[in-house]
Amino acid sequence: MSSSRRQLVLNVNVLDVGIAPGAWTLDDVHAHSFVDLDHFTAVARIAERGTLDAFFLADGPGFWENPRVKPTRALEPSVILAAVATATENLGLIGTASTTFNDPRDLAERFLSLDYLSGGRVGWNVVTTYSPTAAANFGFDQIPDRDYRYRRAEAFVGVVTALWESARSGVPVSHHSEFFDVDGVLRAPASEQGQPPLVQAGGSPAGRELAGRTAHGVFSAELTLDSARRHYKHVKDVARAAGRNPDDVKILPGLITVIGSTEAEAVARHEQLREHVPARFGWDRLSLTLGVPLADLDLDRPIPQSLLDGPPDPATFSGSLGFRESVVGLARERNLTVAQLLRELNGGGGHRAVIGTPEQVADTIEAWFRAEAADGFNLMPDAFPSGLDTFVDEVVPLLRKRGLFRHEYAETTLRDRFAVPLPEYGAAQSA
């Protein structure tokens, strides 16, 4: 498909009160916003006003951040999405759920019920979970190894999609694999879109293979245009090799936005949001991302060469390979000191940040889209609601003028909006 006929996909990744660790200090955010349904429904209405594709909720069954520094994910995604569904008419609803710490039949019925009640607006973001905290919550001494998690994920997705297909066809599922034995059908009926589309978030080699074979949207972490183009091509090639149309897989990197009427104003806003965040916060996060002790990261020196030379030891590194690859690639490309790298990351792990005017944000989106580095983005505003309000009011009109984004909703289901066809009957059974 030529770039002139493609249309951007723009989801908003609703990370509590914003991706910026200091977002909670702004005047339009109150202390309990991250556990207030009115906060989430207000953000969803702004997103729908901007004709964004979907409201995206990340999740993990354990603390992701230090709650003494910033609000952290506290409410189960499908509960929030149920409230958002009643507050909106067109906005897609994408929730994250782990294949490592869920039951496939329970997840299939929970998501399909919400999909049916919302008129076919739901998507599932498939993750395998690498958090030791999450493992402990489920009685594991340590997180299962990556190979195990991805084998289970493949079987898990096969069970879920087969059950969703059974709701369409009425044909009972008979799935028997290394991890699951399932016979039966779901109680919930199929929605208008037939099956919720799948989004996948995982940048490891196994994650990219799974995404190319099964996903309709890929939430990736990219810091540079060149690395994003390589990732884009690789996942599309995997899809093609699996007999899929590569256009059916939308690559959606995370994009952090800090917007001001001038670049200086945006920088000032960014600095304001950093004032209340301990310096140790980003340092700790970088240590976790790279899988090395803090003592190995000298602020005044570049990342140790041993980290730049190759992938980590899979026997000792259980973190996100996608985030690590993104961060290491940036450090290598620009020869940054640890302190410089921390400033570049802007509290967002391995996601690109644009700190500037609406035109600069629109320019970045257009450049990555036209260079086939992205089919769209999972937007990560610095703070809610103000950061998203500004994006909708100032950036969306620019994208519309450039012929890149819709003026109004034309499709009623998330699958139609992503422009991906339903699988043929029987395809999910063999997954």
Side-chain angles (χ1 to χ4, degrees), residues 282-335:
W283 203 6
D284 284 338
R285 174 179 276 184
L286 182 61
S287 170
L288 179 65
T289 298
L290 296 176
V292 297
L294 280 175
D296 291 354
L297 299 176
D298 186 332
L299 288 173
D300 298 321
R301 300 179 62 83
I303 297 293
Q305 188 62 40
S306 60
L307 294 177
L308 304 179
D309 287 339
D313 182 353
T316 59
F317 181 76
S318 63
S320 167
L321 286 173
F323 277 128
R324 185 186 184 280
E325 181 180 314
S326 179
V327 169
V328 167
L330 180 67
R332 181 191 297 114
E333 179 179 305
R334 301 188 187 175
N335 193 32

Side-chain angles (χ1 to χ4, degrees), residues 41-52:
T41 55
V43 170
R45 289 188 183 102
I46 296 169
E48 188 162 73
R49 176 164 57 82
T51 64
L52 301 192

